[in-house]
Amino acid sequence: MAKKQRESKIVTKELRLRPGIHEHDIETNLNQAKKFLSDGMKVQFNLLFKGRELSNKEHGFVTITKVIEDLKEFGIVEKIPKMDGKHIICSCAPNT
């Protein structure tokens, strides 16, 4: 058997959020993230700011922190939330 066939691929799924996202939409994204993490995939959250939303960055950090707190039992934070241009990016890996 070839070496590449024995290697396991790590799949990363990306979930996109916005700072003004409603509670039900967050729950929908959380359910998807829980499913991905339980299947052994990594999840990357990408929170996008547009226009004037950049002046209220704290709303984005509050949203992403809420998501991380709800996912504590399913995965661990691999990359802490960090501002990258107009995005806040955070990665979670499944619990081992």
Side-chain angles (χ1 to χ4, degrees):
M1 193 158 42
K3 184 178 178 183
K4 285 196 173 201
Q5 289 177 340
R6 289 179 290 193
E7 291 178 358
S8 63
K9 290 188 176 181
I10 298 173
V11 179
T12 303
K13 295 287 188 173
E14 180 180 4
L15 294 174
R16 301 178 81 190
L17 306 169
R18 294 292 307 273
I21 192 168
H22 291 282
E23 193 65 36
H24 183 265
D25 298 329
I26 290 175
E27 290 174 14
T28 304
N29 279 328
L30 281 173
N31 289 335
Q32 286 292 316
K34 289 173 186 176
K35 186 177 106 178
F36 293 146
L37 288 170
S38 63
D39 290 343
M41 301 177 201
K42 290 183 179 182
V43 178
Q44 178 177 346
F45 292 99
N46 188 355
L47 194 135
L48 172 67
F49 292 98
K50 288 187 178 177
R52 294 182 188 174
E53 293 173 345
L54 273 171
S55 62
N56 296 318
K57 295 176 188 172
E58 62 273 358
H59 292 302
F61 281 106
V62 167
T63 303
I64 204 98
T65 306
K66 187 187 316 181
V67 167
I68 291 170
E69 288 296 321
D70 291 342
L71 286 177
K72 282 232 189 245
E73 62 192 50
F74 292 94
I76 57 171
V77 177
E78 204 172 47
K79 282 188 193 173
I80 59 171
K82 187 177 111 179
M83 203 62 193
D84 184 30
K86 291 185 176 184
H87 304 270
I88 296 177
I89 298 174
C90 174
S91 292
C92 295
N95 285 337
T96 53

